[in-house]
Amino acid sequence: MADDWDTVTKIGSKTNGGAGQRETVVRGKGALNAAQRSGQIIATEKKFAAGNTANKAGTEGQRLTKVDRSDDIVAPQKLDTKIAEAIKQRRSQDPFKMTQAQLAQKVNAQANDIKMLESGTAIKNQALLNKVARVLKISPKTGEPVVDKH
């Protein structure tokens, strides 16, 4: 116990007399080759979100940022009633005549989802809307009939 007073405990990065070799980022083939020739330790990392793809968030991200920043309750986006009416009319027309359950089965959804889409009370689900629009051959943005290109 007497020699506990004589020992010194160092905490931090300079415990071994200073920092070791610093990590540097090499940009370019020439600098990488020079580092390899000098015998330095080299590690490579692959960046997956390269280029300008990381900067493109889309409109949904912007809306969520607005929701996060606001103090009051922001209602989720509802489906446009014009599109809802177009889905209902197109489903009842002759070449596409089918029930809500049959349409739901074709787009791999619940019949209740189709009912909510047609009533206009559904929260906007772009994936489901695109599937329904493809089956009924209408525009998912405007609800107008789309002419086949074949």
Side-chain angles (χ1 to χ4, degrees):
M1 287 275 178
D3 53 305
D4 282 347
W5 292 101
D6 296 332
T7 59
V8 176
T9 304
K10 292 183 180 178
I11 300 173
S13 64
K14 298 181 179 167
T15 57
N16 294 331
Q21 236 179 350
R22 292 199 71 183
E23 216 177 278
T24 58
V25 177
V26 176
R27 300 183 197 279
K29 215 53 164 149
L32 179 64
N33 289 337
Q36 286 175 333
R37 281 193 301 272
S38 67
Q40 293 179 351
I41 299 171
I42 298 170
T44 58
E45 296 177 15
K46 185 160 178 84
K47 291 185 178 180
F48 291 104
N52 61 358
T53 57
N55 298 336
K56 296 181 181 176
T59 58
E60 184 62 19
Q62 292 172 353
R63 191 185 80 76
L64 291 176
T65 301
K66 181 181 175 184
V67 169
D68 287 343
R69 289 183 181 160
S70 68
D71 293 334
D72 53 336
I73 298 171
V74 177
Q77 290 179 329
K78 299 283 185 182
L79 186 66
D80 188 13
T81 54
K82 184 176 147 187
I83 297 172
E85 194 62 38
I87 291 171
K88 193 184 310 182
Q89 286 179 354
R90 190 72 165 186
R91 185 181 57 81
S92 62
Q93 288 177 354
D94 199 17
F96 306 102
K97 198 160 185 73
M98 63 183 92
T99 64
Q100 289 178 343
Q102 289 169 335
L103 179 59
Q105 188 175 13
K106 281 191 174 190
V107 298
N108 196 18
Q110 299 291 322
N112 192 40
D113 293 340
I114 303 299
K115 181 181 136 196
M116 299 282 279
L117 269 180
E118 288 184 356
S119 67
T121 58
I123 294 172
K124 191 170 184 181
N125 180 351
Q126 195 64 45
L128 177 61
L129 185 59
N130 288 340
K131 289 178 186 178
V132 169
R134 197 174 310 122
V135 169
L136 297 177
K137 295 182 180 167
I138 61 172
S139 168
K141 292 183 180 179
T142 61
E144 296 175 8
V146 176
V147 180
D148 267 341
K149 295 175 184 167
H150 300 291

